[in-house]
Amino acid sequence: MSRSCIAGIGSYVPPRVVRNDELAQLMSTSDEWIRTRTGIGERRFADAGVYCSDLALEASRNALEDAGMTAHDLDFIIFATISPDHHFPGTGCFLQAKLGIESIGCLDVRNQCTGFLYGMAVGDAFIRSGMYRNILVVGAEVHSSALDFTDEGRDVAVLFGDGAAAVVMTPTQDPRRGILHSELHADGRFTKALFMSVWDISRKPFMTPEVFQTREIWPKMDGRSVSKNAVTKLGELVEDTLHAGGVDPLDVKYVIPHQANLRINELLAERLKFPPGKFLSNIEKYGNTTAASIPLLLDETYRTGKIERGDLLLLIAVGSGFTWASSLLRW
Ligand code: ACO
């Protein structure tokens, strides 16, 4: 049976840079507070009128170009986001139309910060089963429309940024390449530790003016609980994934972790005794771009020439749900 591999990768971030000092004009925060607690210096915000599928379109074009393909070569689209263009239909359908193609299947993955890795695992299974050949997996977010830029929302608002990244997955017979192992996990007992209650289908009607007055339209987070869970679950995940993939930690060239908080990733690297420089980061420039975070960092790493054919990479993420996931692959 053939493996699946990444045949092309691309990303796109909106041009507007929002530095910590700009946020400090809207709420009681500071560049110093944000940098020391999260590692974030700036992020990108999309302008009004820009959809998640618009960012995804640019990223997808870049990934297709890198793969030497056109959109007509695609057999399936998997779209990971928690900031869809609309509640329905799925954003994959909007992207498909913008790519100028029709008829191929589109699947939206609503799995928060692990959405991209869940999407890659689904794509990997489709390719290994022979069901599809060329699959576009996208992670994209426009968070900036759904953040509370007041003192009440400052704990969450300073963390997130907008962006998109995509990969084209294909089958490979090359023994030096491909996905070796994926892990997908969730623990639904913690659904409300990082949660947005605005869409509540048990309410009749589901949306009322009170939703705005009670500030339910904004995301809420128990930062300590998220942080503690992230370090514990990521530690177990790294060990389990390397064991299942039958590889030595020393053979991993880079760990590409989800960019939620620099402190979480530094603490994790220290606990796992990974040498400095093995855990990569770009959170300083983009903040947390949720489903886009891992492919955005992977694309930057690839485009700066740091990855060679056959390099062993470990992609790990933890997020709301709680969910946690990994992908161990040879580039
Ligand atoms: N600026 C200034 N002060 C702030 C801000 C802010 N943006 N946000 C909160 N504070 C205040 C709090 O109100 C609190 O004040 P108080 O002591 O007067 O009550 C004080 O700072 C300390 O707050 P803590 O929550 O204890 O700060 P902590 O050191 O835990 O850092 C943080 C907060 C950065 C959110 C941290 O909990 C964290 O990183 N948690 C993980 C969350 C995360 O990564 N979420 C990403 C999404 S999930 C994912 O991607 C995995």
Side-chain angles (χ1 to χ4, degrees):
M1 199 193 333
S2 62
R3 280 191 193 142
S4 76
C5 71
I6 293 175
I9 183 164
S11 62
Y12 177 78
V13 289
R16 188 170 162 235
V17 178
V18 177
R19 301 202 166 81
N20 293 339
D21 287 338
E22 191 176 332
L23 295 184
Q25 289 167 15
L26 305 172
M27 57 187 124
S28 311
T29 191
S30 65
D31 179 54
E32 195 268 337
W33 194 97
I34 301 170
R35 273 183 197 276
T36 49
R37 283 185 168 72
T38 71
I40 300 167
E42 59 191 44
R43 72 286 291 142
R44 303 298 180 97
F45 281 177
D47 291 332
V50 174
Y51 286 106
C52 182
S53 59
D54 294 324
L55 304 187
L57 176 64
E58 300 303 326
S60 302
R61 283 180 175 150
N62 292 337
L64 285 163
E65 188 185 349
D66 186 48
M69 293 185 196
T70 74
H72 295 278
D73 295 315
L74 294 174
D75 301 312
F76 199 74
I77 295 173
I78 300 175
F79 199 120
T81 186
I82 61 164
S83 48
D85 288 8
H86 300 282
H87 187 66
F88 72 87
T91 309
C93 294
F94 288 97
L95 174 65
Q96 188 214 51
K98 286 177 184 176
L99 282 167
I101 50 177
E102 56 194 58
S103 157
I104 64 165
C106 298
L107 172 70
D108 268 37
V109 174
R110 294 289 301 276
N111 243 63
Q112 308 76 249
C113 304
T114 54
F116 182 78
L117 295 186
Y118 267 71
M120 279 229 312
V122 172
D124 176 53
F126 277 151
I127 289 171
R128 281 189 292 112
S129 75
M131 189 160 171
Y132 297 118
R133 279 189 69 79
N134 300 331
I135 301 182
L136 180 69
V137 184
V138 190
E141 306 287 357
V142 175
H143 283 309
S144 53
S145 323
L147 295 171
D148 178 6
F149 296 108
T150 70
D151 283 10
E152 279 184 68
R154 64 181 178 172
D155 58 332
V156 177
V158 300
L159 302 177
F160 292 93
D162 303 340
V167 296
V168 180
M169 298 178 71
T170 60
T172 180
Q173 305 296 335
D174 184 343
R176 292 171 308 159
R177 298 185 76 177
I179 294 183
L180 305 180
H181 181 73
S182 305
E183 298 243 342
L184 305 176
H185 299 279
D187 187 345
R189 291 174 301 164
F190 298 96
T191 41
K192 295 194 175 171
L194 180 49
F195 174 61
M196 198 162 170
S197 64
V198 60
W199 187 278
D200 184 339
I201 211 71
S202 73
R203 257 190 310 243
K204 299 191 190 309
F206 73 97
M207 193 77 75
T208 61
E210 289 75 48
V211 169
F212 292 87
Q213 282 147 19
T214 55
R215 310 184 72 77
E216 283 176 57
I217 59 164
W218 308 121
K220 296 278 178 300
M221 177 179 72
D222 175 354
R224 292 252 167 104
S225 160
V226 172
S227 207
K228 206 171 127 210
N229 172 75
V231 177
T232 311
K233 291 301 180 206
L234 287 172
E236 293 166 7
L237 183 68
V238 169
E239 283 167 0
D240 292 350
T241 307
L242 294 178
H243 180 72
V247 300
D248 191 284
L250 292 174
D251 294 337
V252 175
K253 180 146 184 199
Y254 294 119
V255 179
I256 311 275
H258 168 51
Q259 302 293 292
N261 185 317
L262 185 62
R263 286 204 315 193
I264 292 175
N265 290 338
E266 284 178 346
L267 189 61
L268 179 66
E270 195 184 304
R271 283 201 186 164
L272 291 167
K273 300 190 172 44
F274 272 69
K278 198 155 268 209
F279 267 64
L280 300 184
S281 174
N282 64 359
I283 196 170
E284 203 274 337
K285 288 191 291 181
Y286 304 116
N288 182 348
T289 56
T290 307
S293 130
I294 286 180
L296 188 57
L297 177 56
L298 185 59
D299 186 43
E300 278 198 355
T301 310
Y302 162 68
R303 285 180 194 272
T304 49
K306 286 161 86 173
I307 315 176
E308 285 165 23
R309 178 67 64 238
D311 280 348
L312 190 61
L313 304 175
L314 176 59
L315 283 41
I316 52 169
V318 62
S320 158
F322 291 133
T323 58
W324 59 106
S326 66
S327 181
L328 180 69
L329 59 93
R330 287 203 180 275
W331 187 252

